[in-house]
Amino acid sequence: MAVYVQTKPTTIAEKLADETWRRKFLRNVLIPWIFICPLLIIHLYVVAIPAVQGVYMSLTDWTGVGMNVNFVGLDNYYELFFEDETFGKALGNNIIWMAFFLTVPFIMALFCAAMLAQVKRGGMLYRSILFIPYVLASVVTTTIWKNLLNPQRGIGAAVDNLLGLEDVFGVAFLGRPDSALMSIAFIDNWHFWGFLMILFLASMQSIPPVLYDAAKIDGANRWDEFRHVTLPGIRPTLLFMYMMVAIWSFLAFDYIFLLTQGGPGGASEVIATQLYKNAFFRFQAGYGAAQGVVISIFAGFIIMIFVTLRRRGWDI
């Protein structure tokens, strides 16, 4: 008497013939790729290909007009780092900008978030008021502050008239080399810090209340609670925003260009504004592309620092 033993499919053809395996293939492999392919194609044409073209253009002397492109190798990078003094000044301004935005808005946002976390009534109203500047268009914000800082009809002039003074507070902060960059940073921070505050507040509200109760039982005051409970509880959000703000600091452009266009005398010039001028005003698109690649390198370096910290066990 013959005995037949049913065995599992072993070849690809036999697996495809199996109805259960076919359904799993459609659900877990084919359908996800159908949905993701349009996004990948868009990313390829909008990000990947232009990025490769930008790297190639940084190795040429292309003017940005026509197809007359000459390959010059690393000459643009050599000029950038060893011959162009304005680039060094712009890079220094970017570092000053980053140092400002990694301290002032974070301190303001942490303090205000810690205060609002204790508010039970009207908390949403206060958050909305502080968040409104972030949703304003940069053109609107810069126009408002241009008028407010106007030395003839701004806040300073009004204070001088009120106190009977002459040109004490009515100073052209955006027109002075020693104050232009920090004035722009102040304006940008006015619009930005509320965004950080909302993020930190949302992260604080996810901390279990029992941790604060335990700290109070141990005799902790408000500062001890903030240092030993709040900060460790929001550390992933805090460190992630440190990384993002550090990257954004090298991409700063709109507020600076709208308010001073890098002036006066290059006092508020950063790499992005210099790149824009080289590419579109001075017809040095290849040189501008090299500056863009340098910005990407700095951003990649910042990301690598945080990746290294994460691999070493930091909660990021």
Side-chain angles (χ1 to χ4, degrees):
M1 180 178 178
V3 178
Y4 296 95
V5 179
Q6 185 177 2
T7 59
K8 294 182 179 180
T10 56
T11 66
I12 296 178
E14 290 173 334
K15 287 182 178 180
L16 290 175
D18 185 85
E19 187 66 24
T20 302
W21 190 92
R22 210 182 324 177
R23 289 178 180 176
K24 289 182 179 180
F25 176 80
L26 288 173
R27 185 174 62 251
N28 299 332
V29 179
L30 187 59
I31 293 178
W33 274 106
I34 290 175
F35 281 99
I36 201 66
C37 273
L39 297 177
L40 290 176
I41 293 172
I42 294 174
H43 183 83
L44 179 68
Y45 280 95
V46 175
V47 178
I49 293 177
V52 174
Q53 290 176 336
V55 173
Y56 172 73
M57 289 303 174
S58 71
L59 304 175
T60 68
D61 63 352
W62 186 43
T63 63
V65 180
M67 299 302 296
N68 186 16
V69 179
N70 297 318
F71 185 81
V72 296
L74 298 176
D75 288 355
N76 288 331
Y77 294 95
Y78 180 84
E79 180 181 352
L80 202 62
F81 287 104
F82 299 104
E83 296 179 358
D84 190 352
E85 295 181 0
T86 61
F87 174 76
K89 186 176 181 179
L91 177 59
N93 286 338
N94 271 115
I95 294 174
I96 294 173
W97 188 274
M98 180 175 66
F100 178 89
F101 276 92
L102 289 180
T103 52
V104 176
F106 278 84
I107 293 173
M108 294 176 61
L110 284 171
F111 176 79
C112 192
M115 295 297 100
L116 283 179
Q118 311 298 323
V119 176
K120 302 302 181 183
R121 287 188 176 183
M124 184 59 66
L125 175 63
Y126 297 138
R127 298 173 206 173
S128 302
I129 293 173
L130 294 174
F131 188 72
I132 284 175
Y134 184 75
V135 300
L136 292 178
S138 56
V139 175
V140 176
T141 302
T142 53
T143 302
I144 292 172
W145 279 99
K146 272 185 178 180
N147 292 321
L148 291 175
L149 296 180
N150 188 290
Q152 279 79 39
R153 57 179 183 274
I155 296 177
V159 173
D160 284 344
N161 292 332
L162 182 64
L163 300 179
L165 303 175
E166 184 176 352
D167 296 335
V168 176
F169 297 100
V171 178
F173 291 102
L174 295 173
R176 297 175 54 178
D178 58 343
S179 62
L181 184 64
M182 285 295 98
S183 298
I184 301 170
F186 169 82
I187 296 170
D188 197 352
N189 177 57
W190 175 84
H191 118 279
F192 176 68
W193 78 274
F195 170 71
L196 285 180
M197 182 268 297
I198 292 296
L199 290 180
F200 294 155
L201 182 59
S203 185
M204 289 177 185
Q205 291 177 338
S206 66
I207 300 174
V210 294
L211 297 179
Y212 290 101
D213 296 337
K216 290 177 182 178
I217 292 174
D218 291 337
N221 55 30
R222 184 67 62 84
W223 168 249
D224 293 330
E225 291 179 10
F226 179 78
R227 187 175 58 167
H228 297 294
V229 179
T230 303
L231 284 182
I234 68 171
R235 184 168 57 185
T237 303
L238 184 64
L239 293 178
F240 177 75
M241 289 312 301
Y242 256 104
M243 179 184 70
M244 295 305 300
V245 171
I247 294 173
W248 291 340
S249 297
F250 285 97
L251 303 176
F253 174 79
D254 53 349
Y255 278 82
I256 296 173
F257 195 80
L258 289 170
L259 288 168
T260 64
Q261 296 189 3
S268 60
E269 194 85 84
V270 292
I271 300 177
T273 58
Q274 196 178 60
L275 184 161
Y276 182 84
K277 293 176 182 178
N278 287 329
F280 299 105
F281 292 166
R282 299 168 186 149
F283 299 101
Q284 297 176 342
Y287 191 66
Q291 291 179 303
V293 172
V294 169
I295 293 176
S296 299
I297 291 173
F298 282 126
F301 179 71
I302 293 170
I303 293 173
M304 287 304 301
I305 292 175
F306 281 85
V307 169
T308 302
L309 293 176
R310 186 178 181 86
R311 289 179 177 177
R312 291 187 177 183
W314 285 54
D315 189 9
I316 301 178

